[in-house]
PDB file of all heavy atoms in Angstrom:
ATOM      1  N   HIS A 233      -9.172  -0.010   4.600  1.00  0.00           N
ATOM      2  CA  HIS A 233      -9.022  -0.792   5.830  1.00  0.00           C
ATOM      3  C   HIS A 233     -10.370  -1.342   6.259  1.00  0.00           C
ATOM      4  O   HIS A 233     -10.514  -2.537   6.546  1.00  0.00           O
ATOM      5  CB  HIS A 233      -8.405   0.080   6.925  1.00  0.00           C
ATOM      6  CG  HIS A 233      -8.114  -0.660   8.185  1.00  0.00           C
ATOM      7  ND1 HIS A 233      -9.041  -0.788   9.199  1.00  0.00           N
ATOM      8  CD2 HIS A 233      -7.008  -1.321   8.597  1.00  0.00           C
ATOM      9  CE1 HIS A 233      -8.515  -1.492  10.177  1.00  0.00           C
ATOM     10  NE2 HIS A 233      -7.282  -1.832   9.843  1.00  0.00           N
ATOM     11  N   SER A 234     -11.377  -0.494   6.298  1.00  0.00           N
ATOM     12  CA  SER A 234     -12.727  -0.932   6.689  1.00  0.00           C
ATOM     13  C   SER A 234     -13.285  -1.958   5.721  1.00  0.00           C
ATOM     14  O   SER A 234     -13.864  -2.970   6.143  1.00  0.00           O
ATOM     15  CB  SER A 234     -13.673   0.269   6.755  1.00  0.00           C
ATOM     16  OG  SER A 234     -13.284   1.138   7.773  1.00  0.00           O
ATOM     17  N   LEU A 235     -13.121  -1.719   4.432  1.00  0.00           N
ATOM     18  CA  LEU A 235     -13.629  -2.668   3.436  1.00  0.00           C
ATOM     19  C   LEU A 235     -12.924  -4.018   3.540  1.00  0.00           C
ATOM     20  O   LEU A 235     -13.556  -5.066   3.454  1.00  0.00           O
ATOM     21  CB  LEU A 235     -13.440  -2.111   2.026  1.00  0.00           C
ATOM     22  CG  LEU A 235     -14.330  -0.949   1.615  1.00  0.00           C
ATOM     23  CD1 LEU A 235     -13.868  -0.388   0.272  1.00  0.00           C
ATOM     24  CD2 LEU A 235     -15.781  -1.387   1.543  1.00  0.00           C
ATOM     25  N   LEU A 236     -11.631  -3.984   3.748  1.00  0.00           N
ATOM     26  CA  LEU A 236     -10.855  -5.219   3.791  1.00  0.00           C
ATOM     27  C   LEU A 236     -11.072  -6.005   5.077  1.00  0.00           C
ATOM     28  O   LEU A 236     -10.928  -7.225   5.091  1.00  0.00           O
ATOM     29  CB  LEU A 236      -9.373  -4.919   3.579  1.00  0.00           C
ATOM     30  CG  LEU A 236      -9.037  -4.355   2.187  1.00  0.00           C
ATOM     31  CD1 LEU A 236      -7.616  -3.844   2.141  1.00  0.00           C
ATOM     32  CD2 LEU A 236      -9.288  -5.391   1.115  1.00  0.00           C
ATOM     33  N   LEU A 237     -11.443  -5.324   6.152  1.00  0.00           N
ATOM     34  CA  LEU A 237     -11.751  -6.034   7.404  1.00  0.00           C
ATOM     35  C   LEU A 237     -12.919  -6.994   7.231  1.00  0.00           C
ATOM     36  O   LEU A 237     -12.986  -8.031   7.880  1.00  0.00           O
ATOM     37  CB  LEU A 237     -12.105  -5.029   8.506  1.00  0.00           C
ATOM     38  CG  LEU A 237     -10.959  -4.510   9.351  1.00  0.00           C
ATOM     39  CD1 LEU A 237     -11.472  -3.499  10.360  1.00  0.00           C
ATOM     40  CD2 LEU A 237     -10.208  -5.616  10.042  1.00  0.00           C
ATOM     41  N   ASN A 238     -13.825  -6.641   6.341  1.00  0.00           N
ATOM     42  CA  ASN A 238     -15.010  -7.480   6.110  1.00  0.00           C
ATOM     43  C   ASN A 238     -14.702  -8.710   5.267  1.00  0.00           C
ATOM     44  O   ASN A 238     -15.581  -9.526   5.041  1.00  0.00           O
ATOM     45  CB  ASN A 238     -16.114  -6.661   5.437  1.00  0.00           C
ATOM     46  CG  ASN A 238     -16.627  -5.571   6.340  1.00  0.00           C
ATOM     47  OD1 ASN A 238     -16.692  -5.738   7.552  1.00  0.00           O
ATOM     48  ND2 ASN A 238     -16.969  -4.437   5.757  1.00  0.00           N
ATOM     49  N   SER A 239     -13.473  -8.829   4.789  1.00  0.00           N
ATOM     50  CA  SER A 239     -13.146  -9.955   3.912  1.00  0.00           C
ATOM     51  C   SER A 239     -11.856 -10.654   4.341  1.00  0.00           C
ATOM     52  O   SER A 239     -11.101 -11.124   3.502  1.00  0.00           O
ATOM     53  CB  SER A 239     -13.025  -9.451   2.483  1.00  0.00           C
ATOM     54  OG  SER A 239     -12.055  -8.432   2.407  1.00  0.00           O
ATOM     55  N   LEU A 240     -11.641 -10.735   5.637  1.00  0.00           N
ATOM     56  CA  LEU A 240     -10.408 -11.344   6.139  1.00  0.00           C
ATOM     57  C   LEU A 240     -10.276 -12.807   5.774  1.00  0.00           C
ATOM     58  O   LEU A 240      -9.168 -13.322   5.647  1.00  0.00           O
ATOM     59  CB  LEU A 240     -10.326 -11.176   7.666  1.00  0.00           C
ATOM     60  CG  LEU A 240     -10.074  -9.757   8.155  1.00  0.00           C
ATOM     61  CD1 LEU A 240     -10.112  -9.707   9.682  1.00  0.00           C
ATOM     62  CD2 LEU A 240      -8.743  -9.233   7.654  1.00  0.00           C
ATOM     63  N   ASN A 241     -11.379 -13.501   5.611  1.00  0.00           N
ATOM     64  CA  ASN A 241     -11.330 -14.934   5.327  1.00  0.00           C
ATOM     65  C   ASN A 241     -11.243 -15.255   3.844  1.00  0.00           C
ATOM     66  O   ASN A 241     -11.116 -16.416   3.469  1.00  0.00           O
ATOM     67  CB  ASN A 241     -12.537 -15.636   5.941  1.00  0.00           C
ATOM     68  CG  ASN A 241     -12.520 -15.549   7.457  1.00  0.00           C
ATOM     69  OD1 ASN A 241     -11.463 -15.585   8.071  1.00  0.00           O
ATOM     70  ND2 ASN A 241     -13.689 -15.409   8.057  1.00  0.00           N
ATOM     71  N   ASP A 242     -11.296 -14.226   3.001  1.00  0.00           N
ATOM     72  CA  ASP A 242     -11.227 -14.443   1.555  1.00  0.00           C
ATOM     73  C   ASP A 242      -9.774 -14.534   1.101  1.00  0.00           C
ATOM     74  O   ASP A 242      -8.923 -13.780   1.566  1.00  0.00           O
ATOM     75  CB  ASP A 242     -11.909 -13.296   0.800  1.00  0.00           C
ATOM     76  CG  ASP A 242     -13.388 -13.165   1.136  1.00  0.00           C
ATOM     77  OD1 ASP A 242     -13.975 -14.156   1.631  1.00  0.00           O
ATOM     78  OD2 ASP A 242     -13.952 -12.088   0.909  1.00  0.00           O
ATOM     79  N   ASP A 243      -9.500 -15.464   0.191  1.00  0.00           N
ATOM     80  CA  ASP A 243      -8.144 -15.566  -0.352  1.00  0.00           C
ATOM     81  C   ASP A 243      -7.801 -14.359  -1.216  1.00  0.00           C
ATOM     82  O   ASP A 243      -6.707 -13.832  -1.160  1.00  0.00           O
ATOM     83  CB  ASP A 243      -7.983 -16.838  -1.180  1.00  0.00           C
ATOM     84  CG  ASP A 243      -7.989 -18.081  -0.319  1.00  0.00           C
ATOM     85  OD1 ASP A 243      -7.647 -17.986   0.873  1.00  0.00           O
ATOM     86  OD2 ASP A 243      -8.332 -19.153  -0.839  1.00  0.00           O
ATOM     87  N   VAL A 244      -8.768 -13.962  -2.044  1.00  0.00           N
ATOM     88  CA  VAL A 244      -8.607 -12.815  -2.930  1.00  0.00           C
ATOM     89  C   VAL A 244      -9.820 -11.921  -2.764  1.00  0.00           C
ATOM     90  O   VAL A 244     -10.952 -12.398  -2.677  1.00  0.00           O
ATOM     91  CB  VAL A 244      -8.485 -13.263  -4.410  1.00  0.00           C
ATOM     92  CG1 VAL A 244      -8.494 -12.066  -5.345  1.00  0.00           C
ATOM     93  CG2 VAL A 244      -7.219 -14.076  -4.613  1.00  0.00           C
ATOM     94  N   VAL A 245      -9.568 -10.630  -2.700  1.00  0.00           N
ATOM     95  CA  VAL A 245     -10.636  -9.638  -2.582  1.00  0.00           C
ATOM     96  C   VAL A 245     -10.681  -8.853  -3.882  1.00  0.00           C
ATOM     97  O   VAL A 245      -9.637  -8.465  -4.418  1.00  0.00           O
ATOM     98  CB  VAL A 245     -10.372  -8.677  -1.401  1.00  0.00           C
ATOM     99  CG1 VAL A 245     -11.418  -7.592  -1.336  1.00  0.00           C
ATOM    100  CG2 VAL A 245     -10.301  -9.437  -0.101  1.00  0.00           C
ATOM    101  N   THR A 246     -11.877  -8.610  -4.382  1.00  0.00           N
ATOM    102  CA  THR A 246     -12.043  -7.778  -5.566  1.00  0.00           C
ATOM    103  C   THR A 246     -12.796  -6.520  -5.162  1.00  0.00           C
ATOM    104  O   THR A 246     -13.885  -6.600  -4.584  1.00  0.00           O
ATOM    105  CB  THR A 246     -12.841  -8.520  -6.665  1.00  0.00           C
ATOM    106  OG1 THR A 246     -12.124  -9.712  -7.012  1.00  0.00           O
ATOM    107  CG2 THR A 246     -13.017  -7.658  -7.894  1.00  0.00           C
TER     108      THR A 246
END
Side-chain angles (χ1 to χ4, degrees):
H233 184 271
S234 295
L235 289 172
L236 295 169
L237 270 178
N238 294 326
S239 57
L240 290 176
N241 296 325
D242 299 340
D243 290 335
V244 173
V245 176
T246 300

